[in-house]
Amino acid sequence: MKLTTAGESHGKMLLGIIEGLPSNLVIDIEEIDRYLSLRQGGYGRGGRQKIERDRVEILSGVRDRKTLASPLAFAVKNRDYENWAACMAPEGADTSLRRLTKVRPGHADLTGIIKYDQTDARNILERASARETAARVVGGTIARQYLRALGVEVSGYVRCVCGVEDKAFHAFEELEGAKTQPLFMLDDKKQTEAMAKIDKLKELGDTAGGIVEIRIKGLKSGFGSCMSYSEKLDARLCAALMSVQAIKGVEVGMGFGVGRCAGSAVHDEIFSEGGRYRRRTNNAGGIEGGMSNGEEIVLRAAMKPIPTLMRGLKTVDYATGEPCTAASERSDVAAICACEIILESVAAFALAEAVSERLGGDNIKEVKGRYDLLP
Ligand code: EPS
C-alpha cells in the first residue's frame, strides 16, 4: 500500500493516490470528512481555517462505496485558492505578489530557497506547509477503515500543550472522548490551564507546540520483523510520525524513560493467562524486537511550536542580506489538535502498509481470512 500526495497550500487543491488497496473495502466517505473537519479544528487555530471547509472528493478506485483494487485517487479543494490565483495559477501568475524573503526561523524557508535555487520562499513554503496533511488524513482514514475490517482501532489524545501536561494513564476506551474537547485533552483542569496559556501566547504574538499520544488496539502479534531492520514495526511507525510537519521527537512505550531506569523496571514480565501470553505492564509500547507483541501500541510525538510568530523572530532578509523581523501575516497559535488527528492518520497508514505487506490479499475477504488464521 502506498500513498502519494500532491498540492500546494494556496494552490487549487490537494491530491492523493493510494495504490495497493484490496477490492470490496467499504469506504465511509462521511468518516473521512469527519476526520478532515476534526483536523481543521481545535483551540488556537487561526484565520485560514475560517476559509476552508475540507471535504474529500474521490475521483477513482471506488464504485458504489467499495474499492475496486485500482488506484484510489482523491482531491481536497483549497477554498482559499480564489484569493491566491493571481500569484499561484499554474497557467500564469504574477510572482511578485506575496513574495516572502524575510525567512522564518524554524520553517523550511531559508534552507529550501538555497536547496531549490529560488529567490522567493513562497516556492518552498507552499509545499512545506502543514496544509499537505489534509491529504494524509484522507489516506489515513481509508487505512483506518482497512484496519477496522480486521478489528484494529487507532485513537489518541493530547497529553501536553506548551508545558501543561496530563501525566495520567487513560484507558483506550476513554480516548475518543478527547475529540469532543477544545484541546483534545482528557484532564479538564489541565485543559483549562492549557487554553489560558494559548490565550496568553496569542496576546504576546507567540505560539505553542505540544505532545500527542497515539494508541493502536487489537493488533495481533507478529507484525513487523526482527529479521530485517527496514521492516521493524517501531521504526516504520516512528518514521511515519516523524514525517509530519513540526514533529521533533517520537517515543514508543516508555520511550526515553528506558534510558533512566534499571532493566527490572523497564521490561514487561510475561504471564500465561487463559492459554494466552500476556504482560501486566506495557513499557515496551506493544512492540518487542521490532514486532507487535499483541499488547496496545503506544506512541508519543512532540510537536514544536508553529514557526510563524506574529511578533516575528530575528532573521535576515534573503533579498537584501539585511537583518529584519521574520514574515508573519496570519498564523495559528497552536495546531496540536490538528497534529493529533494527523498522527493518528499517518500511524494508521504505516500500520496498514505493514499489515498488507504481510497478508497480501486481492480482496478484503481474503485479507480478513488470512488475518483470522493468525494466532
Ligand atoms: C501553515 C500556515 C497556515 C496554516 C497552514 C499551515 O496557513 P496560511 O499561511 O494560509 O495562513 O493555516 O495550515 C493549513 C492551511 C491547514 O489546513 O492545516 C504553514 O506555514 O505550515
Side-chain angles (χ1 to χ4, degrees):
M1 209 179 288
K2 183 172 183 290
L3 168 66
T4 304
T5 70
E8 280 72 44
S9 179
H10 305 97
K12 294 182 184 183
M13 62 187 75
L14 301 165
L15 292 156
I17 298 183
I18 306 173
E19 288 177 86
L21 285 166
S23 66
N24 290 337
L25 174 67
V26 176
I27 299 298
D28 180 345
I29 295 173
E30 287 75 26
E31 187 184 41
I32 301 173
D33 286 341
R34 186 170 84 83
Y35 278 101
L36 281 174
S37 87
L38 282 169
R39 193 202 69 92
Q40 287 197 265
Y43 201 73
R45 285 291 241 169
R48 176 75 185 272
Q49 300 311 322
K50 295 193 178 77
I51 300 170
E52 304 298 344
R53 298 272 179 289
D54 292 346
R55 294 285 176 273
V56 71
E57 187 183 350
I58 295 189
L59 304 167
S60 74
V62 176
R63 183 165 182 232
D64 192 25
R65 297 186 162 250
K66 284 190 190 154
T67 54
L68 296 168
S70 55
L72 187 158
F74 63 83
V76 177
K77 291 213 170 91
N78 289 327
R79 285 168 57 128
D80 208 13
Y81 175 68
E82 64 184 61
N83 304 318
W84 290 75
C87 82
M88 289 299 295
E91 303 81 10
D94 180 353
T95 56
S96 69
L97 299 173
R98 310 263 197 175
R99 261 175 85 73
L100 193 149
T101 58
K102 293 175 177 168
V103 291
R104 294 160 296 172
H107 217 294
D109 302 346
L110 178 59
T111 309
I113 282 188
I114 297 166
K115 175 177 164 72
Y116 294 102
D117 188 24
Q118 301 287 358
T119 53
D120 178 1
R122 172 98 11 233
N123 289 342
I124 305 304
L125 72 92
E126 284 292 334
R127 184 65 185 154
S129 162
R131 178 86 189 129
E132 182 263 348
T133 59
R136 285 201 273 169
V137 168
V138 176
T141 310
I142 291 170
R144 191 191 287 276
Q145 293 169 5
Y146 169 93
L147 293 171
R148 191 178 295 134
L150 308 179
V152 179
E153 291 288 343
V154 181
S155 192
Y157 68 105
V158 171
R159 258 177 95 82
C160 173
V161 177
C162 201
V164 182
E165 187 160 6
D166 167 12
K167 294 188 177 151
F169 171 80
H170 298 283
F172 189 87
E173 294 62 37
E174 281 177 67
L175 305 184
E176 277 309 288
K179 295 196 176 56
T180 61
Q181 297 300 311
L183 271 173
F184 290 9
M185 291 183 89
L186 290 164
D187 179 317
D188 288 345
K189 218 165 137 253
K190 294 285 176 193
Q191 182 162 255
T192 307
E193 215 183 300
M195 287 163 75
K197 180 127 202 181
I198 289 173
D199 293 343
K200 185 81 203 156
L201 289 167
K202 187 173 183 183
E203 257 172 52
L204 298 170
D206 214 328
T207 56
I211 299 173
V212 165
E213 183 167 298
I214 302 298
R215 303 248 287 272
I216 301 171
K217 191 178 170 72
L219 182 67
K220 291 187 175 185
S221 69
F223 287 91
S225 170
C226 60
M227 301 297 172
S228 162
Y229 70 85
S230 60
E231 289 172 34
K232 285 178 187 278
L233 189 61
D234 39 7
R236 295 178 69 160
L237 291 171
C238 286
L241 300 191
M242 197 53 116
S243 77
V244 173
Q245 289 81 340
I247 298 301
K248 294 302 267 186
V250 292
E251 293 187 322
V252 181
M254 202 177 184
F256 275 69
V258 302
R260 300 189 187 103
C261 301
S264 56
V266 170
H267 299 297
D268 305 309
E269 292 181 307
I270 300 170
F271 301 87
S272 176
E273 284 175 9
R276 292 188 74 86
Y277 295 109
R278 293 306 306 260
R279 287 97 178 148
R280 289 175 191 162
T281 53
N282 189 17
N283 294 331
I287 303 180
E288 287 172 303
M291 300 170 291
S292 58
N293 66 9
E295 304 294 333
E296 240 175 56
I297 293 183
V298 183
L299 307 165
R300 255 171 258 107
M303 178 194 197
K304 69 185 179 187
I306 308 264
T308 310
L309 276 67
M310 295 313 287
R311 57 167 273 226
L313 294 174
K314 286 190 193 124
T315 189
V316 174
D317 189 330
Y318 192 78
T320 63
E322 294 299 320
C324 65
T325 301
S328 58
E329 279 177 15
R330 66 181 177 195
S331 178
D332 303 317
V333 181
I336 192 71
C337 296
C339 188
E340 195 282 323
I341 297 295
I342 299 157
L343 292 171
E344 280 189 33
S345 305
V346 299
F349 201 88
L351 179 60
E353 275 179 315
V355 168
S356 72
E357 274 168 34
R358 181 170 185 209
L359 298 179
D362 296 316
N363 62 72
I364 194 69
K365 193 161 74 182
E366 195 174 22
V367 176
K368 189 162 162 31
R370 292 177 185 183
Y371 187 76
D372 289 345
L373 286 177
L374 295 175

